[in-house]
Amino acid sequence: MNHSMKKEDILAAFEFRHATKEFDPTKKISAEDFDFILETARLSPSSVGLEPWKFVVVQNADLREKLRAVSWGAQGHMPTASHVVLVLARKDASYKSDYFWQQLTGVKQIPAENVKNMMGRYQSFQEEDFKLMDSERALFDWASKQTYIALGNMMTSAALIGIDSCPIEGFARDAVDTILREEGLLENDQYGISVMAAFGYRVKAPRPKTRREATDVIRWVE
């Protein structure tokens, strides 16, 4: 593994990254660079290794305009971003689902007997520890939490190569799901919208980054 990147280079990327509200529509991210960004999303970790996500890259102008109409937080992004990603979360991430079983035995290649032996632990985790089975929304929100790990990795990887980004939660969730359902993008309602992200190149410099002091947000217990 190449360890040539210095810690200060990584911190510089975090300083560089900001919630870009408007992009230069004349500048497009290369296919190679955006494939790299998407790959960091695909390789992201998730609870139980379920990967309960799908990344839909929307380059179609008509669809972007439909989404813009129900996304108050994406007014400047939809018409100007080089790439817009809709991050979908699975609705069937229950330990009882076929998806759960296939992901562990098929994708992760864990022996079926091992998964069966662990199923009691998965059940108590979802039903008792995190109360995920109390409602469909609780289970969906848990899957959505996993998608934010991938979202963060995409934005960080973009910043590391000089590409701007903005996470977007400013939208009417039900209205977006309706649009995506009509477009056939929810795969028979196995998915729902979790969050959006826009990528491109800034048109103006951001204001200086502000954050709470480390002493306010970090506490050591020794």
Side-chain angles (χ1 to χ4, degrees):
M1 181 178 291
N2 185 356
H3 295 281
S4 61
M5 179 169 284
K6 298 179 180 178
K7 286 180 283 188
E8 52 264 35
D9 295 329
I10 298 172
L11 289 177
F14 276 86
E15 288 287 349
F16 168 85
R17 197 218 63 78
H18 73 288
T20 306
K21 302 304 182 185
E22 184 179 357
F23 300 92
D24 185 340
T26 68
K27 295 182 179 179
K28 300 301 179 184
I29 301 169
S30 71
E32 178 184 1
D33 283 349
F34 207 72
D35 284 347
F36 160 73
I37 292 170
L38 290 172
E39 185 66 356
T40 65
R42 189 184 72 86
L43 293 174
S44 295
S46 57
S47 185
V48 196
L50 283 185
E51 303 175 55
W53 47 51
K54 179 85 54 136
F55 308 99
V56 179
V57 185
V58 179
Q59 301 302 80
N60 181 277
D62 291 339
L63 179 53
R64 283 198 191 186
E65 194 56 34
K66 289 180 184 178
L67 293 168
R68 185 187 186 200
V70 296
S71 303
W72 57 267
Q75 294 302 295
H77 306 93
M78 289 297 177
T80 66
S82 172
H83 291 68
V84 171
V85 180
L86 310 181
V87 186
L88 309 183
R90 289 196 73 99
K91 296 181 178 180
D92 60 344
S94 160
Y95 72 92
K96 296 185 285 188
S97 70
D98 291 339
Y99 176 78
F100 193 102
W101 178 265
Q102 176 58 30
Q103 181 67 16
L104 268 60
T105 60
V107 177
K108 294 178 68 64
Q109 298 184 357
I110 301 174
E113 193 61 33
N114 291 5
V115 176
K116 288 179 182 178
N117 291 337
M118 284 294 295
M119 200 55 75
R121 169 54 59 203
Y122 296 138
Q123 178 178 356
S124 63
F125 165 66
Q126 291 196 335
E127 290 186 350
E128 300 169 18
D129 297 340
F130 272 56
K131 309 295 184 186
L132 302 179
M133 305 303 290
D134 286 1
S135 68
E136 291 182 356
R137 183 60 189 265
L139 187 64
F140 177 77
D141 284 349
W142 175 70
S144 293
K145 285 167 62 177
Q146 313 311 311
T147 72
Y148 276 66
I149 301 172
L151 171 68
N153 286 342
M154 282 194 291
M155 293 191 298
T156 299
S157 64
L160 285 166
I161 58 175
I163 292 172
D164 292 299
S165 64
C166 186
I168 303 167
E169 285 187 322
F171 54 83
R173 194 172 71 91
D174 289 345
V176 170
D177 272 350
T178 296
I179 292 170
L180 299 183
R181 186 176 297 112
E182 291 171 350
E183 296 287 333
L185 296 171
L186 297 185
E187 301 185 22
N188 296 319
D189 272 350
Q190 292 183 100
Y191 292 91
I193 184 68
S194 173
V195 67
M196 303 177 185
F199 298 85
Y201 296 95
R202 65 188 71 180
V203 291
K204 58 184 178 181
R207 65 184 180 88
K209 188 179 291 292
T210 56
R211 289 292 188 274
R212 294 166 63 191
E213 295 294 332
T215 52
D216 291 333
V217 298
I218 299 170
R219 179 174 178 178
W220 289 72
V221 180
E222 298 180 341

